[in-house]
Amino acid sequence: MRKLLLSLFLIVPFTYASYGTIEPLLLPIEQVNKVLFSSFAMPLIATWGITIFGFISLLMSVKSLITKNEYKSAMKSFYISLLLGFIVGISVNYANYYLVIKPNNMIECPKKIGYKKNLMRDYVKDISQCEKF
């Protein structure tokens, strides 16, 4: 039962974060005002990896509760979730860049407005939007 609760604890916040990364791809291109992009892509890989791991562990926990058996191969599911998270994270990151940022001619928020050099950078349609977000 603890594993099931831990899975749910992982799924809820990371699914929300994962949805936030894929949302610009789901909206019409005219409605997108801000997009996060990382040339390194590590934050998206981690977010998607943890989300997929949470879903895999939830499925395995429910299966073990129903069949009353302990599940084996936990490391195998961990590595599968890492691989899937890597693939989905990089795909979403660069799809945002090539399908949303470039066609919208979005610009990166400059450092002088208060954005520090970090892994994720905001891209907006107009430089005045950097202060709003």
Side-chain angles (χ1 to χ4, degrees), residues 107-125:
I107 53 175
E108 183 178 357
C109 288
K111 295 178 190 176
K112 66 180 179 181
I113 296 181
Y115 286 82
K116 297 176 183 166
K117 186 174 183 175
N118 54 19
L119 296 176
M120 301 292 288
R121 297 300 302 238
D122 287 331
Y123 283 79
V124 294
K125 289 183 179 180

Side-chain angles (χ1 to χ4, degrees), residues 49 52-53 56 60 73-87:
I52 292 170
F53 176 72
I56 289 174
M60 291 175 72
S73 70
M75 286 308 290
K76 184 178 177 183
S77 65
F78 177 71
Y79 289 130
I80 289 171
S81 65
L82 285 181
L83 179 66
L84 289 174
F86 179 80
I87 292 168

Side-chain angles (χ1 to χ4, degrees), residues 25-94:
L25 296 171
L26 302 175
L27 294 174
I29 200 165
E30 306 86 35
Q31 292 181 357
V32 178
N33 292 324
K34 174 187 157 190
V35 179
L36 283 172
F37 175 74
S38 171
S39 57
F40 189 52
M42 201 59 185
L44 291 177
I45 291 170
T47 301
W48 280 97
I50 293 171
T51 301
I52 292 170
F53 176 72
F55 278 109
I56 289 174
S57 64
L58 177 68
L59 292 173
M60 291 175 72
S61 297
V62 168
K63 182 183 174 190
S64 70
L65 282 175
I66 292 171
T67 62
K68 306 277 193 245
N69 293 333
E70 277 296 312
Y71 53 85
K72 300 167 188 160
S73 70
M75 286 308 290
K76 184 178 177 183
S77 65
F78 177 71
Y79 289 130
I80 289 171
S81 65
L82 285 181
L83 179 66
L84 289 174
F86 179 80
I87 292 168
V88 173
I90 285 187
S91 300
V92 167
N93 190 48
Y94 286 102

